[in-house]
Amino acid sequence: MITNKSSCFVYGAPGSFYARLFSRNSLHFVHSCYALHFLSKVPEKHVNDKGSVYITSSSPQSTYKAYLNQFQKDFTLFLRLRSEEIVSNGRMVLTFIGRNTLNSDPLYRDCCHFWTLLSKSLRDLVFEGHVSESKLDEFNMPFYDPNEQELEEVIRNEGSFEINDLEKHVFDLGLSNNNNEEDDYEAGYNEANCIRAVTEPMLVAHFGEDIIDILFDRYAHHVANHGSCRNKTSVTLVVSLTKK
Ligand SMILES: C[S@@+](CC[C@H](N)C(=O)[O-])C[C@H]1O[C@@H](n2cnc3c(N)ncnc32)[C@H](O)[C@@H]1O
């Protein structure tokens, strides 16, 4: 219970969470919010899926294995580094974008998945001559959306933390409750702005800034056209851990 006498120290640490950030045995509670689905890099030796920035249903199994492998390496490193910084019995709550286990095909992502729609918007720009096909083929997202089993397996194998609870929640950037076209249009722009906030620096570094406004205009349009989709692959996974 927090009382008036409790102290809370807030500290901004520069650097990547895939490196040591805090002193040994100094943290009582760690929370990471919607960040650990970002990998330290796009997996090496991954067979490029033409015209797509992420895994799709037509990707080879080797693409899935390469992304999973990179996630296992990165998340294992994150757990080991934080285990050095967290006191014994300290807690950690991690919130991720994950994927549903409803579809057993690890390549399957629904038609309105944010990276599917981003790929579609980039292909529009290729068609319209704003982006070259080869430039699009070279770009991939340093991202992985684990399912619950994949997440649990890394935590168990790394061995520093006990799992107290693992919950799955809805992940929705804004379309679920829409009833009419006007709402879909507005939700399209809202989702486009969310995805733009997250991806703009990566996209500008690869494609340059001239395409950004037009790209997210196309993106908003595609989201609005998917207003009636209900079976989403993306979920929010929340895992609560205690340091052994
Ligand atoms: C979607 S934002 C979430 C921000 C915030 N936690 C929140 O919930 O509003 C993801 C954040 O993760 C950060 N991020 C991604 N990879 C990182 C890394 N390796 N080390 C530190 N931060 C990282 C990004 O810079 C970005 O700020």
Side-chain angles (χ1 to χ4, degrees), residues 15-18 33-35 38 198:
S16 167
F17 47 58
Y18 295 128
C33 186
Y34 288 113
F38 281 109
V198 172

Side-chain angles (χ1 to χ4, degrees), residues 13-19 21 31-41 74 78 82 95 97 142 194 197-198 201-202:
S16 167
F17 47 58
Y18 295 128
L21 289 170
H31 175 44
S32 169
C33 186
Y34 288 113
L36 279 162
H37 38 251
F38 281 109
L39 303 174
S40 62
K41 58 179 184 178
D74 285 344
F78 175 87
R82 299 297 84 75
T95 302
I97 296 176
C194 285
V198 172
M202 285 185 267

